[in-house]
Amino acid sequence: MGLLTGKNALIFGLANDRSIAWGIAQAFAREGANLGFSYAGDMLEKRVRPLAAQLGVNFVEQCDVASDEQIAAVTEKARSHFGEIDILVHSIGFANKDELQGKFYNTSRAGFHLAMDISVYSFVGLAKAFQPLMRRGGAMLTLTYYGSVKVAPNYNMMGVAKAALEASTRYLASDLGEQGVRVNAISAGPVRTLAAMGVSGFREMHKNFVELSPLHENISIEDCGNAAVYLCSDWAAHVTGEIHYVDSGYNIMAAPDPQALKAAKAG
Ligand code: NAD
Ligand code: 0WE
């Protein structure tokens, strides 16, 4: 018996085998869940289909979360395929590149709206659409980053969006509590995924993290998968509205250890 045996889990945000969603999918499969995947657009289908095949997943549906119609359509498909859903994972974030560099005050109105729509509203919209399908004892999960709480250089607009996503996690947890559905977030340390590549300064941040975090190790998509198993399993039965850090302890430090700082500078 796996920790998720008999549970139906839908995962949004699979792009490739480096995605945090892939780490979560593999861990869920290992623990016996029945999986379904949703991906953003045509460009990704050729990457997502083989990954689904690898885990024997046959529910693979496109959904651009910017569209209410596509959210409604994927909800109906999930209803006819699974009937009821136990777990919904939201592993989606997006801002225009312009919004991830320079002065935060230069964020455009349109850029602000886009980042909030794709990175925050989409979780609320999916929760609204799927709540009628959620079984008692079910769980929803999203992915966030510490740039929501403290300033991470260049993260800018995404930091503001993640702060709103974390607040949304708490409001959704409050709403869905009476239905016996829990809502939590994993705050992951930096991981080299598609969404992190080509971000200016990411490589350095990823490297410094090893020196500055208490465990002195980068985190992996497998770590996110294992934490997701716990948060979405019955072992976390009364855990809801939480932001659970999977970050080698980085967030507990008020200042870097002086020796670690020297090592980071020596690089
Ligand atoms: P990723 O690029 O693999 O995943 C991001 C996903 O968002 C992609 O699958 C992409 O298709 C999807 N997406 C973007 N716009 C969409 C739309 N309109 N409709 C549907 N899907 C859309 O990168 P990742 O790092 O695995 O990101 C997953 C989540 O983890 C994001 O919320 C990200 O902010 C968060 N996160 C990432 C890190 C990191 O360092 N990589 C750290 C903490 C949190
Ligand atoms: O949430 C993220 C990724 C967010 C992201 C990244 C991109 C790059 C490509 C959202 N939208 C886009 N749009 C693009 O066009 N992370 C936590 C990873 C990340 O991104 C950063 C980071 C870290 C860490 C951006 C700047 C600084 C640090």
Side-chain angles (χ1 to χ4, degrees):
M1 273 280 281
L3 291 176
L4 303 177
T5 299
K7 293 191 193 281
N8 296 331
L10 210 47
I11 301 177
F12 288 80
L14 192 55
N16 57 36
D17 65 359
R18 304 187 128 200
S19 293
I20 291 174
W22 179 238
I24 294 173
Q26 288 177 293
F28 280 12
R30 181 192 75 211
E31 297 298 337
N34 306 314
L35 295 178
F37 294 152
S38 179
Y39 60 94
D42 294 329
M43 300 270 290
L44 291 173
E45 186 168 4
K46 64 174 190 298
R47 296 216 186 277
V48 172
R49 293 263 172 211
L51 293 175
Q54 211 174 302
L55 297 181
V57 173
N58 52 31
F59 184 93
V60 184
E61 296 294 340
Q62 190 177 326
C63 176
D64 178 345
V65 295
S67 157
D68 289 338
E69 291 72 29
Q70 291 192 30
I71 290 177
V74 79
T75 308
E76 277 319 302
K77 284 174 181 161
R79 189 201 300 279
S80 53
H81 188 270
F82 292 106
E84 290 181 304
I85 304 285
D86 300 282
I87 299 170
L88 185 150
V89 176
H90 171 273
S91 185
I92 292 172
F94 187 78
N96 278 327
K97 267 212 136 162
D98 295 351
E99 261 64 59
L100 296 171
Q101 55 202 4
K103 296 290 194 188
F104 170 65
Y105 59 61
N106 287 326
T107 302
S108 70
R109 192 182 296 271
F112 193 104
H113 285 162
L114 179 71
M116 292 297 280
D117 188 24
I118 305 304
S119 312
V120 189
Y121 179 77
S122 63
F123 189 43
V124 181
L126 287 173
K128 181 183 184 182
F130 278 91
Q131 57 83 18
L133 305 195
M134 294 295 293
R135 220 177 338 233
R136 275 196 90 78
M140 298 188 183
L141 181 71
T142 189
L143 273 299
T144 185
Y145 176 63
Y146 190 46
S148 61
V149 179
K150 302 286 180 187
V151 173
N154 295 317
Y155 198 58
N156 296 9
M157 182 58 224
M158 278 305 295
V160 173
K162 291 302 193 189
L165 180 68
E166 292 173 19
S168 301
T169 300
R170 291 184 285 270
Y171 279 89
L172 291 172
S174 172
D175 282 356
L176 297 177
E178 65 187 23
Q179 293 176 228
V181 172
R182 301 178 296 100
V183 187
N184 293 291
I186 287 174
S187 185
V191 187
R192 284 194 183 139
T193 61
L194 195 62
M197 307 287 208
V199 158
S200 59
F202 182 86
R203 274 177 68 97
E204 220 182 353
M205 177 177 288
H206 189 261
K207 205 169 54 151
N208 288 340
F209 183 90
V210 175
E211 310 299 345
L212 302 181
S213 61
L215 292 174
H216 299 299
E217 282 178 357
N218 276 118
I219 75 130
S220 65
I221 63 171
E222 288 76 21
D223 295 328
C224 293
N226 289 330
V229 167
Y230 160 69
L231 287 170
C232 297
S233 78
D234 298 341
W235 290 107
H238 293 100
V239 177
T240 196
E242 287 294 320
I243 313 302
H244 181 78
Y245 283 84
V246 177
D247 71 342
S248 294
Y250 187 94
N251 78 94
I252 68 167
M253 303 300 289
D257 179 281
Q259 275 177 316
L261 191 61
K262 257 183 230 161
K265 279 183 178 154

